[in-house]
């Protein structure tokens, strides 16, 4: 007899509790170090969390709606239409119901979304590789060099939460949930198209296998998944007078474009030939590590994840590597690509406890120190 849904959820939460506790400890320790350092150098910790770079744009949209544009002397045009609407809408909803400021509501939403993403990640990891690997996957995600973003008023936690639950729904055959969650992910960030692609490819593969016996839910999932991303892109196009190209023109105003990696190669060349800020060589190293981990995902027959996880991670990696503009933001764009961490989580599961402890401690030190540097000392956008 199948257990009630509430009982299954409670059981899953009990199994995930150690992993979620480790994740919370990792992020709270990083937040404490950031807070103490900010106080020491005379910076406001709360301002760092709620008003760092893109956070200002999101809270402004939540308060006033769309319509704000900055023009620069070099020809760049920064329009708030570049920012997808779900996160500001949720911030506005929270501030309407609770007596909170926009920045506080935005941070609390990000924290809640990060916790939800960690839970979904655990469920996926447990189903694919067992409880130990699942816990390590969650912990590794919380200790990425750019994981400080999970504590800010940014959209990466929200996208990751919807994407991870959508992937879990695909793996468990819940196709309507998969498509609906992918649509919500597509309303969260521009690279939310990655989860729509994963759901569509997975549905297409199932349709091909089943042919005449394919259930209608597969067709529905493939239809619904891209509606969030595509709907917002079309809305921006209609608002700007160019239905198909308007959104991409807005992105071009931010110097963000898909140039097959030419701009990134030029930045890597600069890193190799001259002294740069720490964030630049770190960015090159993190993106290179992402490429290596994706290759490991592909070649490891024993631990290779299901097709939708490969497509999701691959599209996110393609967008980060092939897209130009804001080079130092590339690791942030890869934060939602948690399947890339599966090879490392599997390796640590098999490693000796002392080796695993040393690796995790090193990653923790890097994450906490580098995250503090990014918010308090780095001069470039996060």
């Amino acid at each position: 007899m199948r257990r009630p849904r509430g009982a299954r959820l409670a059981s899953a939460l009990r199994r995930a509790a150690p992993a979620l506790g480790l994740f919370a400890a990792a992020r709270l320790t990083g937040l404490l170090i950031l807070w103490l350092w900010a106080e020491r150098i005379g910076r406001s910790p709360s301002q760092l969390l709620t008003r760092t770079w893109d956070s200002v744009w999101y809270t402004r949209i939540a308060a006033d709606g769309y319509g704000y544009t900055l023009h620069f002397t070099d020809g760049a045009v920064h329009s708030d239409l570049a920012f997808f609407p779900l996160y500001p809408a949720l911030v506005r909803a929270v501030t309407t119901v609770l007596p909170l400021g926009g920045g506080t509501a935005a941070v609390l939403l990000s924290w809640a979304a990060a916790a939800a993403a960690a839970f979904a990640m655990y469920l996926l990891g447990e189903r694919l590789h067992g409880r130990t690997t699942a816990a390590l996957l969650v912990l590794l995600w919380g200790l990425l060099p750019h994981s400080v973003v999970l504590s800010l008023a940014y959209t990466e936690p929200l996208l990751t939460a919807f994407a991870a639950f959508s992937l879990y729904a695909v793996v468990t055959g819940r196709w309507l949930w998969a498509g609906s969650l992918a649509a919500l992910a597509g309303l969260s960030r521009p690279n939310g198209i990655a989860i729509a692609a994963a759901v569509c490819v997975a549905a297409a593969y199932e349709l091909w296998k089943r042919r005449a016996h394919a259930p209608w839910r597969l067709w529905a999932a493939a239809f619904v998944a891209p509606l969030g991303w595509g709907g917002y892109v079309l809305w921006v196009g209609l608002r700007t007078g160019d239905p198909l190209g308007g959104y991409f023109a807005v992105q071009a105003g931010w110097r963000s474009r898909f140039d097959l990696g030419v701009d990134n190669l030029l930045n890597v060349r600069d890193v190799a030939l001259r002294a740069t800020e720490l964030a630049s060589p770190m960015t090159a190293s993190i993106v290179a590590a992402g490429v290596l981990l994706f290759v490991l995902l592909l070649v490891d027959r024993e631990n290779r994840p299901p097709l939708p996880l490969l497509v999701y991670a691959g599209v996110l990696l393609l967008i980060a590597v092939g897209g130009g503009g804001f080079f130092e933001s590339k690791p942030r764009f890869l934060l939602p690509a948690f399947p890339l961490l599966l090879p490392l989580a599997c390796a640590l599961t098999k490693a000796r406890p002392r080796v695993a402890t040393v690796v995790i401690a090193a990653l923790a030190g890097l994450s906490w120190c580098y995250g503090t540097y990014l918010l308090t000392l780095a001069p470039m956008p996060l």
Side-chain angles (χ1 to χ4, degrees), residues 15 19 31 62 69 76 86 107 120 126-127 135 162 169 242-243 254 271 276 299 319 362 373 381:
R15 297 194 309 273
L31 191 59
T69 302
L86 182 56
V107 167
E126 180 187 49
R127 185 175 185 86
F162 283 128
D242 182 3
W254 283 79
V271 169
T276 59
V299 301
I319 292 171
Y373 159 79

Side-chain angles (χ1 to χ4, degrees), residues 304-353:
R304 183 184 299 164
L307 177 63
L309 274 73
L310 287 173
V311 173
Y312 171 67
V315 173
L316 286 174
L317 189 61
L318 177 64
I319 292 171
V321 173
F326 296 103
F327 179 66
E328 285 78 15
S329 297
K330 302 300 180 181
R332 175 167 64 84
F333 299 163
L334 287 175
L335 262 181
F338 65 90
L340 295 177
L341 298 172
L342 281 170
L344 183 55
C346 291
L348 289 176
T349 300
K350 299 174 183 177
R352 295 180 179 180

